[in-house]
């Protein structure tokens, strides 16, 4: 399967989960390459913003920023190899991240089968942008879906970033948490509309401040916390940003 490359190997690392409902728990992260969306502020743009693609990115005007050479930032590894790399790390909680992990469900299923064969109490979370329907087998195998629907500030057309059938499906699983990244009151209005239109379960909504530094998180945290209080939603911080900034692999 196609994973993001970090230094000379795949982007597989163990750390603490920094955000969402499992924040603070030790977990091994496995980062898939490829995404079906192209959010203009994406901080894992090396998984999809390849040379030859037409999509803009907020960093385009930054000196030295350039689209990525697909071959240089991707590793193609067998599920057996990936499972072995996960198994040698201490956590038994695994987070599939990306990119968009649901583009490679068959490979993840093979990894899950290989790991669960040892009888350990593995827990598998997957992050997703919520636009792809899970296969029935994948649905059954995953313990927790961390669904992060994208807003208009992503620059992605609504028809691509909000797929009603998929959102309805995740809401019905009872295993999904819906995490929205927000930085302004305008974002809140959009999130309210998405939650209402797609009948997302209000007890499973999280608001998380946008930010790549602690100062940026702090700037948005107070009004988002108040929005959570007003709506009965949860607030999620980004612990990894506070601890390690935007460093990769931690
Ligand atoms: S869905 Fe996620 S990984 Fe894909 S472009 Fe948007 S932020 Fe990046």
């Amino acid at each position: 399967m196609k994973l993001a490359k970090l230094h000379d190997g795949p982007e597989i690392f163990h750390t603490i989960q920094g955000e969402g409902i499992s924040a603070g728990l030790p977990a091994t992260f496995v980062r898939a390459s490829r995404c079906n969306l192209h959010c203009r502020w994406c901080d894992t743009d090396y998984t999809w913003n390849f040379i030859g693609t037409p999509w803009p990115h907020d960093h385009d005007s930054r000196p030295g920023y350039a689209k990525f050479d697909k071959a240089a930032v991707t590793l193609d590894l067998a599920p057996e190899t990936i499972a072995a790399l996960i198994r040698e790390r201490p956590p038994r909680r695994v987070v599939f991240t990306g990119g968009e992990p649901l583009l490679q469900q068959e490979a993840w299923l093979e990894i899950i089968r290989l790991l669960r064969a040892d009888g350990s109490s593995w827990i598998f979370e997957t992050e997703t942008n919520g636009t792809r329907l899970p296969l029935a087998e994948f649905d059954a195998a995953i313990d927790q879906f961390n669904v992060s629907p994208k807003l208009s500030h992503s620059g992605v057309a609504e028809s691509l970033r909000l797929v009603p059938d998929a959102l309805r499906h995740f809401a019905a699983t009872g295993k999904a948490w819906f995490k929205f990244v927000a930085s302004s009151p305008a974002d809140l209005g959009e999130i309210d509309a998405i939650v209402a239109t797609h009948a997302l379960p209000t007890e499973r909504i999280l608001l998380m401040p946008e930010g790549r530094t602690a100062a940026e998180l702090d700037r948005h945290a107070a009004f988002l916390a108040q929005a959570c209080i007003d709506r009965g939603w949860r607030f999620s911080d980004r612990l990894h940003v506070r601890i390690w900034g935007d460093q990769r692999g931690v």
Side-chain angles (χ1 to χ4, degrees):
M1 76 180 297
K2 291 179 171 45
L3 296 187
K5 189 173 172 185
L6 179 62
H7 310 306
D8 292 332
E11 192 167 338
I12 300 175
F13 56 96
H14 62 285
T15 181
I16 54 166
Q17 170 62 286
E19 57 191 48
I21 198 71
S22 309
L25 293 174
T28 296
F29 283 73
V30 186
R31 189 173 307 283
S33 186
R34 313 294 189 263
C35 189
N36 59 322
L37 301 186
H38 39 269
C39 305
R40 53 177 310 128
W41 40 256
C42 178
D43 59 2
T44 54
D45 46 348
Y46 50 91
T47 65
W48 57 269
N49 195 15
F50 303 133
I51 294 167
T53 59
W55 301 300
H57 192 279
D58 281 352
H59 291 171
D60 286 341
S61 57
R62 191 181 270 189
Y65 182 82
K67 285 179 178 284
F68 296 85
D69 174 351
K70 191 192 285 187
V73 294
T74 306
L75 271 184
D76 208 341
L77 295 179
E80 291 77 6
T81 306
I82 298 168
L85 290 168
I86 296 170
R87 192 182 290 112
E88 71 186 22
R89 291 168 164 77
R92 287 303 175 254
R93 176 176 294 268
V94 183
V95 182
F96 304 153
T97 188
E100 173 48 52
L102 267 64
L103 299 181
Q104 303 185 77
Q105 295 179 52
E106 295 283 4
W108 293 124
L109 274 170
E110 184 58 19
I111 290 168
I112 292 171
R113 272 192 290 269
L114 289 163
L115 290 172
R116 286 203 165 129
D118 71 7
S120 301
S121 302
W122 292 93
I123 295 174
F124 296 98
E125 297 181 24
T126 189
E127 300 184 343
T128 177
N129 56 34
T131 61
R132 291 291 172 122
L133 276 170
L135 303 169
E137 206 181 350
F138 189 73
D139 222 352
I142 291 293
D143 297 286
Q144 184 177 308
F145 292 101
N146 303 324
V147 184
S148 185
K150 302 304 176 234
L151 305 184
S152 55
H153 58 42
S154 64
V156 179
E158 184 173 331
S159 58
L160 294 178
R161 62 185 163 80
L162 297 175
V163 178
D165 285 354
L167 290 173
R168 196 176 308 118
H169 178 90
F170 285 116
T173 63
K175 298 193 283 191
W177 294 88
F178 296 87
K179 182 181 67 190
F180 292 90
V181 179
S183 60
S184 75
D187 294 343
L188 280 180
E190 213 177 320
I191 295 165
D192 285 334
I194 293 171
V195 170
T197 303
H198 300 282
L200 302 183
T202 54
E203 71 281 8
R204 285 179 167 262
I205 309 286
L206 300 100
L207 295 182
M208 186 172 79
E210 187 272 327
R212 294 181 188 214
T213 65
E216 285 174 352
L217 296 177
D218 288 344
R219 202 160 48 241
H220 308 310
F223 95 88
L224 280 186
Q226 187 59 52
C228 288
I229 293 166
D230 295 342
R231 292 162 176 76
W233 296 350
R234 296 191 185 215
F235 177 86
S236 171
D237 205 351
R238 305 186 81 192
L239 298 177
H240 54 300
V241 172
R242 292 194 182 280
I243 300 168
W244 295 293
D246 61 359
Q247 201 178 318
R248 281 180 67 186
V250 285

